[in-house]
Amino acid sequence: MSKPGLFITFEGIDGSGKSTQAKRLAAHLQSQGRDVVLTREPGGSTGAEEIRALVLQGDPERWSAETEILLFTAARRDHLERTINPALAAGKVVICDRFADSTRMYQGLSRGDLRPVVDTLHSLMIGREPDLTLLIDMDPELGLSRALSRQTADERFEAFGAGLQAQMRRGFLDLAAEFPDRFRVIDGNQPLDQVTADVLTTVQSALS
Ligand code: T5A
């Protein structure tokens, strides 16, 4: 009998190590014979990658929070239809670097309380939560310095600075408390290999 699909997301502030841990988890599961799709948001499908450039590049004040909610949700819908749902239906493990929890935080909290708008649009257009969400929690100042050291074009949100990072860290921890069934908090302040060990232990127990 084929194994059921599993949808795992990584969340956390910028520079917390999500992409590195997502890649390591994918490699580990592949080495165990699991069929894995490693993807990211915003992006993960052709159309969503086009929207990614619109939302992450350019003037930090380019969009209102409301417009961003629409753009991120449009990208997510395309990603879900074309990448995530087909992979899950085929019994694959989908590992996604950020998903709807990021919209709940970045658009829902950073410029007023728009969380109800995010949640309403999410239930209308997405209607799916991950099976497991790994929150890589870490010191906001360190996360920001790591994120800025990458020097990519996609740095609109990093431009909002340390205040936003601290607010997002608090918000993510609150979200983990709100959804304890699917969230697991990992200490991202540890050395890379120790963070990976914690991620693998957590996922292994979810898979079994
Ligand atoms: N966004 C996204 C929204 O506003 N709304 C949404 O709905 C969504 C989906 C995405 C931006 O979009 C926003 C949030 C974000 O601001 P992005 O370019 O995809 O932007 O960047 P991030 O998701 O923020 O990811 P980053 O690349 O900045 O950070 P990661 O993935 O958390 O960290 P990673 O793995 O790239 O590591 C950063 C550096 O730190 C080192 C790594 O080697 C790397 O150099 N590192 C460690 N060093 C020491 N010890 C450790 N434990 C380390 N872990 C990593």
Side-chain angles (χ1 to χ4, degrees), residues 10 17-28 30 38 95:
F10 279 84
K18 300 174 305 301
S19 316
T20 307
Q21 297 302 332
K23 275 186 213 139
R24 287 179 170 208
L25 174 62
H28 175 80
Q30 275 159 348
L38 176 61
I95 300 174

Side-chain angles (χ1 to χ4, degrees), residues 11-23 40-43 52 55-56 68 72-73 76 97-107 111 136 138 142-143 146-150 152 154-158 164-165 187-195:
E11 296 283 358
I13 58 174
D14 299 313
S16 54
K18 300 174 305 301
S19 316
T20 307
Q21 297 302 332
K23 275 186 213 139
R40 68 167 181 182
E41 289 209 352
R52 179 183 173 97
V55 287
L56 295 190
E68 277 176 13
F72 278 105
T73 307
R76 183 161 305 126
D97 186 352
R98 296 194 183 280
F99 191 63
D101 295 318
S102 285
T103 316
R104 293 186 171 107
M105 293 296 98
Y106 286 81
Q107 285 65 49
R111 283 166 284 173
I136 310 288
M138 71 168 306
L142 181 56
R146 279 192 201 157
L148 291 175
S149 71
R150 286 171 321 163
T152 67
D154 300 344
E155 284 183 0
R156 220 182 115 239
F157 287 88
E158 282 86 339
L164 179 73
Q165 287 277 93
D187 180 3
N189 296 296
Q190 310 175 91
L192 257 180
D193 289 345
Q194 186 54 53
V195 180

Side-chain angles (χ1 to χ4, degrees), residues 73-148:
T73 307
R76 183 161 305 126
R77 173 78 196 203
D78 192 64
H79 186 205
L80 197 69
E81 285 176 3
R82 291 167 196 272
T83 305
I84 298 174
N85 281 344
L88 292 174
K92 298 179 184 179
V93 178
V94 175
I95 300 174
C96 190
D97 186 352
R98 296 194 183 280
F99 191 63
D101 295 318
S102 285
T103 316
R104 293 186 171 107
M105 293 296 98
Y106 286 81
Q107 285 65 49
L109 287 191
S110 65
R111 283 166 284 173
D113 183 12
L114 290 173
R115 171 79 191 276
V117 179
V118 174
D119 284 338
T120 301
L121 199 57
H122 179 80
S123 64
L124 273 175
M125 287 296 152
I126 309 298
R128 156 106 223 186
E129 300 296 346
D131 300 308
L132 177 67
T133 298
L134 299 166
L135 170 59
I136 310 288
D137 176 55
M138 71 168 306
D139 174 58
E141 298 276 351
L142 181 56
L144 185 61
S145 70
R146 279 192 201 157
L148 291 175

